[in-house]
Amino acid sequence: LRFPQKLWKMLESGKFQSVWWSEGGKCVAINKDLFEVEVLGMEGQQVFHTQKIKSFMRQLNAYGFTKMQQNFQRSASLPEFLAEEAAASAHSQILYYYNPSFNRAHPWLSEMCKRR
């Protein structure tokens, strides 16, 4: 299988907690730390033929995925702001990638994901 098909199969399997559909099936969400252990750290059963998250991210970029930034609205009050900062820090381990041809509602589009 090509990289996009492997990723699709992984997302749909439900076997992995480190990667999932987000934004209504339009984005791929990846918990960076958990993905490194759960997917890239699998001895002898590597899905993507790499053990490094940077190599995996290069593959995403090579197939036209772009990293999305999550925007947080900040509160004016100090206690609420500090709580939001803590949540945003934990949330920073989550990476979001988008490709217009990689959409859960339209699986046939993934065939259009070509390596640059």
Side-chain angles (χ1 to χ4, degrees), residues 45-115:
Q45 300 177 359
Q46 293 176 335
V47 179
F48 296 107
H49 305 293
T50 186
Q51 294 179 329
K52 298 180 180 176
I53 191 73
K54 288 190 182 228
S55 296
F56 176 76
M57 290 164 47
R58 276 195 291 277
Q59 283 287 316
L60 286 168
N61 291 327
Y63 280 93
F65 286 83
T66 55
K67 188 174 180 183
M68 305 295 291
Q69 299 297 325
Q70 294 297 86
N71 296 325
F72 292 98
Q73 296 292 333
R74 302 293 187 193
S75 296
S77 75
L78 182 60
E80 288 178 15
F81 177 81
L82 293 174
E84 290 169 0
E85 271 302 299
S89 176
H91 200 266
S92 69
Q93 290 301 313
I94 310 295
L95 307 173
Y96 296 90
Y97 282 89
Y98 170 77
N99 183 323
S101 298
F102 201 82
N103 186 313
R104 188 177 196 180
H106 308 289
W108 60 89
L109 287 178
S110 68
E111 292 297 319
M112 296 176 68
C113 292
K114 304 287 183 198
R115 187 172 177 85

